């Protein structure tokens, strides 16, 4: 039986453990924090944890999901029906993931407070016995037991990387920022609006977090500038003290100069400027790099082209996370059990290169190679087809797509809506 190392016990790692176990493989999950759920495991603390590691979760106290729980759920494990809201508080998601782990008996396979420190490929002629479906190489994985303060290295047949990518802040360096006398934080460290009472706050970036945090801040802040360079202004009603302005291009002593040369004063800047992929535990010999927001070289955004017994779950962005992870994991499980063959490394490289060229030809930026949005459904369909697996019920795509439209035009009210699936293709709005 193949031993598979799984790094991280967030949604992706738990899903990997579930499907690998069901297929008769032996997963060993390591989780650096003291519990399950990854980013859904909220921490009031910022900075570093008990062991000096950076706080992992980016959840803020009042966060409610921006997707209804009906589409967020793994396809084989709905959220409990007793919570009759659709856009649930983050604690509901954390409880859900813990229930998922208990329900599928994953706990004996998970070691919390175990930090993966090094992953290195072994030479192809090392060891004997079954590899994962003949895939090579095997892996030496070095793990620190944080509580016992013991570091051990063991050999695994495959490795599935599920370490998330919403934890290491990406912060642009604004010219003149060293002169700025106000407070600067990244959304990773934002927890609640109270400390900003009466202040003028510039929220830089109007992605999902930027918009959500800017709206929440309006309850206490004097005024909030939502500073962004998106082509169109947000079309929805917004709080009266929220002003959409151009992106900040420069900092001054007491504020910012925007790209249209306007000046704004601000007591605080909150960078809602996203996160970086980071794989500090991967040795150079793994051959994986991050450049311009792209993790390379990955076949189908999953398998390391050079060393295909290494897979990554959840690299793409703008996806429907848990159903997406489930689809990727079912594919990887088929690969690791030998039911699906990967092309040769040379062919995987050529296919991936071709996909990237096509992406560029369509006028997209290189750093958006993992950005899926509406193409995620075709991508998932290709994976389930390739794996001979059931596709996702089409109602997930339908509701996901409909909710996005409603959200864009009704940012202040969309979370009041309640939805219920009425079949694999249909849903209803519950009154
Ligand atoms: P994570 O949840 O990030 O988990 C990764 C795990 O790996 C962590 O537990 C971490 O401790 C562990 N780890 C990392 N490195 C190591 C190591 N070296 N050794 C051991 N363990 C390690 N999705 C939705 O569907 N709906 C939403 O409304 C939504 N809102 C969001 C709001 C915010 C603020 C953020 C940040 C994300 C949101 N998401 C939402 C997306 C969310 O990231 C995904 O739903 C999903 O939880 C990601 O799961 P993951 O397992 O890939 O990563």
């Amino acid at each position: 039986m193949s031993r598979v190392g799984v790094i991280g016990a967030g949604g992706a790692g738990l899903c990997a453990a579930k499907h690998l176990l069901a297929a008769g493989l032996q997963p060993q999950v390591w989780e650096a924090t003291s519990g399950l759920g990854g980013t859904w495991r909220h921490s009031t603390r910022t900075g570093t944890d008990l062991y000096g590691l950076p706080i992992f979760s980016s959840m803020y106290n009042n966060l409610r999901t921006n997707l209804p729980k009906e589409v967020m759920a793994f396809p084989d494990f709905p959220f409990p029906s007793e919570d009759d809201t659709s856009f649930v508080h983050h604690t509901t998601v954390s409880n859900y993931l813990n229930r998922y782990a208990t329900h599928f008996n994953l706990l004996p396979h998970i070691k919390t407070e175990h930090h993966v420190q090094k992953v290195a490929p072994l030479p192809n002629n090392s060891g004997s016995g079954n590899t994962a479906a003949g895939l090579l190489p095997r892996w030496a994985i070095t793990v620190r037991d944080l509580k016992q303060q013991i570091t051990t290295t063991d050999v695994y047949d495959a490795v599935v990387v599920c370490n998330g990518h919403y934890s290491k802040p990406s912060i642009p360096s604004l010219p003149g920022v060293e002169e700025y006398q106000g407070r600067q934080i990244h959304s990773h460290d934002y927890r609640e609006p109270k400390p900003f009472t009466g202040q003028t706050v510039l929220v830089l970036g109007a992605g999902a977090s930027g918009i959500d945090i800017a709206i929440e801040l309006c309850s206490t802040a004097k005024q909030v500038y939502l500073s962004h360079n998106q082509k169109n202004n947000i079309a929805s009603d917004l709080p009266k003290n929220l002003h959409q302005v151009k992106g900040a291009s420069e900092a001054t002593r007491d504020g910012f100069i925007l790209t249209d040369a306007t000046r704004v004063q601000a007591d605080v800047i909150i960078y809602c400027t996203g996160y970086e992929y980071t794989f500090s535990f991967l040795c150079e010999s793994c051959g994986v790099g991050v450049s311009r927001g792209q993790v390379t070289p990955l076949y189908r955004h999953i398998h390391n082209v050079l060393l295909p017994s290494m897979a990554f779950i959840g690299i793409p962005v703008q996806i429907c996370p848990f159903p997406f992870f489930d689809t990727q994991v079912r594919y990887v499980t088929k690969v690791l059990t030998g039911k699906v063959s990967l092309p040769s490394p040379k062919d995987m490289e050529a296919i991936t290169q071709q996909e990237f060229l096509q992406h560029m030809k369509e006028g997209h930026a290189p750093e958006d190679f993992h950005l899926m949005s509406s193409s995620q459904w075709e991508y998932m369909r290709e994976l389930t087809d390739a794996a001979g697996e059931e596709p996702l019920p089409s109602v997930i795509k339908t509701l996901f797509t409909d909710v996005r439209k409603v959200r864009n035009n009704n940012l202040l009210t969309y979370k009041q809506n309640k939805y219920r699936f009425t079949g694999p293709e249909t849903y209803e709005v519950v009154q």
Side-chain angles (χ1 to χ4, degrees), residues 7-13 30-33 37-40 56 58-60 63-67 72 114-116 162-166 209 275 281 313-314 321-322 325:
I7 303 171
W30 302 281
E31 168 52 50
T33 70
T39 204
W40 295 102
F56 189 84
S58 302
M59 284 293 136
Y60 32 98
L63 183 136
R64 282 168 66 202
T65 60
N66 57 20
L67 289 175
M72 272 185 69
H114 279 67
H115 183 228
V116 176
C162 303
N163 68 326
H165 46 85
Y166 294 116
S209 291
Y275 294 88
F281 47 84
I313 301 301
F322 297 169
F325 300 164

Side-chain angles (χ1 to χ4, degrees), residues 316-333:
V317 296
Q318 290 197 17
I319 53 165
C320 186
F322 297 169
F324 190 95
F325 300 164
D326 194 81
T327 305
Q328 285 192 319
V329 166
R330 283 187 287 145
Y331 175 80
V332 168
T333 303

Side-chain angles (χ1 to χ4, degrees), residues 233-245:
N233 260 354
I234 292 161
S236 165
D237 275 354
L238 292 169
K240 290 211 162 32
N241 54 343
L242 195 159
H243 315 286
Q244 291 190 72
V245 295

